[in-house]
Amino acid sequence: EADLRLDVPGEHFDAKEIIHRITTRDPDDIMPPRTSPKPLTSEETAILQRWIAAGAKYEQHWAFLPVRRPVTPGGIDGFIRAELKEHGLTASPRADARTLIRRVFLDLTGLPPTPSDLSDFSDLSDEKYALLVDRLLASPHFGERWGRHWLDMARYADSNGFLGDGLRPNAYKYRDWVIRAFNEDLPFDQFTIQQLAGDFLNAPEGTGFHRNAALNTEAGVDKEEARYQNLVDRVNTTGRVWMGLTVGCAQCHTHKYDPITIRDYYSFYAFFDNTEDRDDVKTKTPTLAEVSKDRRQTYVHMAGDYTRRGPDVMPATLSALPAQTGPTRLDLAKWLVSPQNPLTARVAVNHIWSKFFGTGLVRTPDDFGTSGESPSHPELLDWLASEFMQNGWSRKRLIKLTVM
């Protein structure tokens, strides 16, 4: 009603009035109102007062800032040691050889070591440990173990879901493609592009990624509504898996916490609006393809209602991030893995870190937005993201760096 918002810089910023509103005892003026379920605590009030006293500078959220490569104090261990020292902590005791061997087998292949493995590596030097890591990275079981992590994010399933839950006899072909991609160390940027736009590159197998969504095949289903829900799933999954953002919150209204408008949402949706599900004629591999005839004009679905038409939109990425050029899914995929995009590499290395240590450097891997948690080690996160990109997006190199 007052045309005043504090989550973005504005022209009508009255510091004196804001301090009055958050500190007054007048029940008509106090903000938030006394009836609010989330009144300000005294600590929060003090934070706002300090911020205003310091000039009330608005700063972009950390995850939207460019990845900056810090000077390393000696690799991963150096970052950890520096943080331990700052908090007056000491490292846990070094694990014995048997424990370390078991850990690395389970983490890299999902399988325990054999008795002979434990015997062969009982006197584990750094050199022998490095050889063991290389051996496990070269194992076919590595792709099975790490492919499974990715398939969880890709919502892989061998049936359609919903009440009918019909079988998908060829779904395994995407699963096998993922396993091969890990074992062959397909660079993560190419891994991304082939899943979102492989049909543009005559490499459609990976586009099975977006054939994993639940599919309603029940009699009487509204086909247009089912199509809309399927595309919404593709947008939300792409935003979560590669950018760690809850873009789905903007499906019905502009995001309340992150700089994602409803127009942003349907501009992103437009990249997928002219896709169709196909099965390769020879191999019956489930793929995604672009429609060439009778293309749709995308528009904002007001309040997320597939029947309510709002303004027309063209394919575009999120306005809060560096812009990309080009209207195709291939352009979108290349933008996601471009150096200008600050999110993709951070999200990817955080996911890998979490599989070794039980929690990510960002404890909310699906939410790098303002409602998520800040990184526990921001410099380490950016150093890993930078290292990942500079080393050709190689997951095996990043994983070896981590377990060494």
Side-chain angles (χ1 to χ4, degrees):
E1 291 179 13
D3 191 27
L4 175 66
R5 15 186 331 174
L6 302 182
D7 57 335
V8 293
E11 298 175 4
H12 312 296
F13 189 90
D14 185 334
K16 185 177 179 181
E17 178 67 12
I18 289 172
I19 289 175
H20 166 70
R21 289 301 189 104
I22 64 176
T23 58
T24 183
R25 294 184 179 181
D26 186 333
D28 294 329
D29 284 358
I30 185 71
M31 290 296 289
R34 300 241 184 251
T35 56
S36 168
K38 292 186 177 181
L40 287 179
T41 66
S42 57
E43 182 184 359
E44 289 166 340
T45 301
I47 289 172
L48 284 169
Q49 289 176 308
R50 289 200 304 272
W51 174 62
I52 290 169
K57 181 183 176 184
Y58 281 82
E59 294 181 346
Q60 201 172 18
H61 182 56
W62 68 267
F64 294 93
L65 295 171
V67 173
R68 301 195 185 282
R69 184 179 177 87
V71 176
T72 171
I76 292 174
D77 290 349
F79 285 106
I80 300 297
R81 278 194 294 267
E83 196 75 4
L84 288 172
K85 183 178 180 181
E86 183 174 334
H87 292 279
L89 301 171
T90 56
S92 300
R94 185 183 177 102
D96 59 46
R98 185 183 186 88
T99 301
L100 182 58
I101 292 166
R102 183 174 174 80
R103 283 177 185 167
V104 76
F105 263 83
L106 289 171
D107 276 343
L108 296 190
T109 68
L111 300 170
T114 65
S116 62
D117 289 322
L118 293 172
S119 174
D120 292 345
F121 291 97
S122 57
D123 56 335
L124 196 62
S125 64
D126 288 348
E127 293 74 17
K128 287 184 74 173
Y129 178 64
L131 290 173
L132 174 59
V133 169
D134 288 338
R135 179 187 128 191
L136 296 175
L137 289 171
S139 165
H141 301 305
F142 168 78
E144 294 165 358
R145 172 64 168 173
W146 281 83
R148 176 175 164 266
H149 296 320
W150 184 261
L151 292 169
D152 285 344
M153 296 198 298
R155 71 267 196 251
Y156 174 79
D158 289 298
S159 61
N160 288 327
F162 290 99
L163 187 63
D165 202 26
L167 293 178
R168 296 173 171 175
N170 295 307
Y172 74 92
K173 295 185 177 183
Y174 169 73
R175 178 201 67 198
D176 289 356
W177 178 86
V178 169
I179 292 170
R180 286 197 305 275
F182 272 92
N183 279 333
E184 295 169 5
D185 200 20
L186 180 66
F188 186 74
D189 56 347
Q190 294 304 310
F191 183 71
T192 296
I193 290 168
Q194 289 187 32
Q195 287 178 95
L196 294 179
D199 52 310
F200 287 89
L201 304 172
N202 198 29
E205 276 185 295
T207 62
F209 177 89
H210 275 315
R211 295 292 302 277
N212 288 318
L215 187 64
N216 193 342
T217 58
E218 296 169 27
V221 67
D222 184 322
K223 291 185 178 179
E224 187 59 25
E225 182 180 14
R227 176 185 178 277
Y228 170 72
Q229 294 299 341
N230 189 267
L231 293 180
V232 161
D233 173 84
R234 289 174 181 175
V235 173
N236 297 352
T237 303
T238 300
R240 183 181 71 253
V241 169
W242 275 282
M243 296 190 289
L245 293 179
T246 55
V247 295
C249 293
Q251 177 188 342
C252 304
H253 52 74
T254 292
H255 203 297
K256 291 187 180 296
Y257 302 106
D258 291 325
I260 306 170
T261 67
I262 190 170
R263 188 179 183 89
D264 280 343
Y265 184 89
Y266 287 101
S267 298
F268 205 89
Y269 175 103
F271 285 110
F272 300 96
D273 200 14
N274 285 288
T275 56
E276 64 178 0
D277 296 351
R278 288 185 187 169
D279 293 338
D280 184 272
V281 177
K282 292 183 179 180
T283 65
K284 293 185 169 50
T285 302
T287 64
L288 199 64
E290 195 76 3
V291 173
S292 56
K293 294 181 180 180
D294 302 321
R295 291 178 64 79
R296 294 170 179 257
Q297 171 61 54
T298 307
Y299 54 88
V300 173
H301 293 262
M302 303 303 293
D305 183 341
Y306 79 102
T307 66
R308 293 179 59 193
R309 184 166 186 158
D312 289 353
V313 291
M314 298 297 291
T317 52
L318 305 184
S319 56
L321 294 171
Q324 62 88 36
T325 55
T328 71
R329 278 179 293 115
L330 182 59
D331 297 313
L332 170 64
K334 289 181 177 179
W335 171 80
L336 281 170
V337 292
S338 68
Q340 290 73 39
N341 186 333
L343 287 165
T344 301
R346 283 181 176 135
V347 169
V349 299
N350 189 64
H351 174 250
I352 288 173
W353 183 274
S354 72
K355 298 308 173 188
F356 289 115
F357 302 108
T359 190
L361 294 167
V362 178
R363 293 174 62 91
T364 51
D366 294 338
D367 191 356
F368 273 50
T370 57
S371 295
E373 292 198 23
S374 298
S376 57
H377 299 67
E379 288 195 330
L380 173 56
L381 180 67
D382 268 19
W383 184 78
L384 288 170
S386 173
E387 193 77 4
F388 189 36
M389 291 186 283
Q390 288 188 13
N391 286 322
W393 297 87
S394 167
R395 281 175 290 197
K396 284 192 175 182
R397 288 187 69 167
L398 180 66
I399 286 171
K400 182 175 182 180
L401 177 70
T402 305
V403 300
M404 289 300 293

